[in-house]
Amino acid sequence: MIQRNTQALLLALSGLSLAQGAQAQSELKLSGLLGSGVLYTRDSGGRSQLQMTSTHAAPFLALTGSESLGGDLRAIFRWSNSVFVDSGTLAPLESYMGLSSGTWGTLTLGAMYDLLADATPFTSERYTSLLATHPGNLDRTVGNSLSNLVKYKSPVFGGFQFGAMYGFAEADSTTNVGRAVGAELSYASGPLQALAIWESVKGIPYAPATRLGVPSLYGVDFTKAPGTTLSQTQDTATVGLAYTSDGWRWMGNYSHTRLSAAGLQQTETARTLDVGAYKYLTNQLRIGGGYSLTKLASYRWDQVHGHVDYALSKRTSLYLLGVLQKAGPGQKAVLRSQAVAGGRRQSAFEVGMTHAF
């Protein structure tokens, strides 16, 4: 996998020189974000753990391009991989191509972020830490890509923009074997931004015990087989709001997700309220944090998080972050990409560096 990804990157980079001769007609750009830090987790699988990772942002490497087709119509593409600096490995993230027009909007096809990922800037997680993802990411607002997706974004009319997507049901998909469909309406004017999204994704492989730390769901007991994976359907409606004032950016998001699983009659509902804010105290120093409350069936999670970023330059920053999750009675806490805690609380603290290019 690593070798194939590296070869693809080298082939793509070899085309940069070809694009230079036709800059007026086409563009090719290499960009990315690298990050790495040292993470201390209290009660990960019943013990404290120290590891190298990167959970403050989503490190990636991307190659994007466009070609003028006449008028305001352009052909576009994007190829990107997640980058794990600690292990030197890559993982597929997005790969799509399409057409973009200032008059007609943008239509893309391939593997790409779903519409719910568009809600991320309206919540506090994106500006603090991937560790602060809502429990189990049931509302998908952390930012997920889906395979076999067609996505449309309209031009902006008076601050309003409409979006829609359709994902084909394909058995070889690693993200969802069922269809995906969704619609989005957003508005931006001055300091105010707002967003409303409805999305339904079927056939998501999901292990409730390890992702949520719950003993049972859908009437199924996972205590004897915590690794049990279900084919889950997630129907989510979410609204988000952001407002900028006096150097502060205030954010809020509410999501309502109806859950079901193949072969099981019982359904469940998850609801999450998320509020957060950040502020640049100076051109170099930023502070931020937030709180989220998630309820699912009889379960509950309270989560708080905070961070400090210090920019050494326009591209390189140092950061310090912390996240604390408290699960309800009869549950065990579990943060993103961590082992289930031995008890109801789990906390994590990380210090590291990011570099954008």
Side-chain angles (χ1 to χ4, degrees):
M1 173 65 75
I2 299 173
Q3 184 178 6
R4 289 199 300 270
N5 285 332
T6 303
Q7 289 174 344
L9 176 60
L10 292 176
L11 288 172
L13 291 177
S14 68
L16 285 171
S17 59
L18 299 177
Q20 291 175 353
Q23 281 187 332
Q25 299 298 320
S26 59
E27 299 175 349
L28 194 61
K29 180 182 179 181
L30 178 67
S31 62
L33 174 68
L34 302 180
S36 188
V38 177
L39 173 68
Y40 171 77
T41 307
R42 184 176 177 81
D43 195 354
S44 177
R47 63 184 180 85
S48 297
Q49 178 175 265
L50 190 65
Q51 63 188 115
M52 181 172 286
T53 184
S54 180
T55 57
H56 184 47
F60 70 93
L61 181 66
L63 189 66
T64 57
S66 67
E67 178 191 14
S68 175
L69 300 177
D72 70 346
L73 183 65
R74 301 187 71 84
I76 60 173
F77 79 88
R78 179 180 176 88
W79 175 89
S80 63
N81 270 224
S82 296
V83 179
F84 303 99
V85 176
D86 53 336
S87 60
T89 58
L90 305 176
L93 186 57
E94 288 188 293
S95 58
Y96 64 80
M97 59 188 303
L99 297 172
S100 181
S101 164
T103 304
W104 302 103
T106 300
L107 179 69
T108 49
L109 304 89
M112 65 193 97
Y113 284 126
D114 61 3
L115 292 176
L116 283 170
D118 297 335
T120 309
F122 298 85
T123 67
S124 52
E125 296 126 351
R126 188 182 183 96
Y127 298 99
T128 51
S129 159
L130 290 177
L131 271 175
T133 300
H134 300 157
N137 194 31
L138 294 170
D139 54 9
R140 302 179 64 84
T141 50
V142 70
N144 294 98
S145 62
L146 291 176
S147 302
N148 314 308
L149 198 65
V150 178
K151 188 175 179 181
Y152 170 76
K153 288 295 187 76
S154 75
V156 177
F157 300 103
F160 288 95
Q161 185 178 42
F162 170 76
M165 71 172 210
Y166 182 83
F168 295 89
E170 299 193 19
D172 60 349
S173 172
T174 58
T175 60
N176 58 294
V177 296
R179 67 101 180 99
V181 62
E184 167 197 69
L185 180 64
S186 63
Y187 175 77
S189 178
L192 178 66
Q193 292 178 281
L195 185 76
I197 297 173
W198 173 82
E199 183 175 299
S200 174
V201 184
K202 291 186 175 182
I204 302 170
Y206 200 87
T210 57
R211 294 288 301 276
L212 294 167
V214 298
S216 64
L217 196 67
Y218 304 117
V220 179
D221 187 348
F222 300 114
T223 54
K224 294 183 179 180
T228 300
T229 299
L230 306 174
S231 180
Q232 185 164 275
T233 294
Q234 297 173 193
D235 299 324
T236 301
T238 188
V239 291
L241 190 67
Y243 188 79
T244 303
S245 176
D246 297 326
W248 283 95
R249 179 179 173 88
W250 303 92
M251 298 159 285
N253 189 82
Y254 175 77
S255 63
H256 183 281
T257 303
R258 183 179 181 273
L259 301 168
S260 59
L264 301 175
Q265 293 185 349
Q266 186 170 324
T267 63
E268 306 289 359
T269 300
R271 300 177 301 278
T272 295
L273 176 65
D274 185 315
V275 292
Y278 73 84
K279 178 181 176 63
Y280 281 93
L281 299 179
T282 69
N283 290 334
Q284 293 176 289
L285 182 63
R286 181 183 71 169
I287 60 170
Y291 165 79
S292 68
L293 167 64
T294 298
K295 292 184 177 182
L296 167 63
S298 61
Y299 305 123
R300 174 188 176 120
W301 296 262
D302 291 272
Q303 193 166 273
V304 294
H305 49 281
H307 73 95
V308 178
D309 292 277
Y310 184 80
L312 299 175
S313 69
K314 291 183 178 180
R315 296 163 51 184
T316 303
S317 296
L318 304 177
Y319 66 85
L320 174 66
L321 65 90
V323 184
L324 170 64
Q325 182 186 106
K326 179 183 177 182
Q331 304 169 232
K332 294 183 179 179
V334 53
L335 295 171
R336 177 180 170 87
S337 300
Q338 297 297 305
V340 177
R344 293 174 54 192
R345 291 178 174 83
Q346 189 175 70
S347 57
F349 304 91
E350 183 176 336
V351 58
M353 179 176 70
T354 60
H355 178 78
F357 60 93

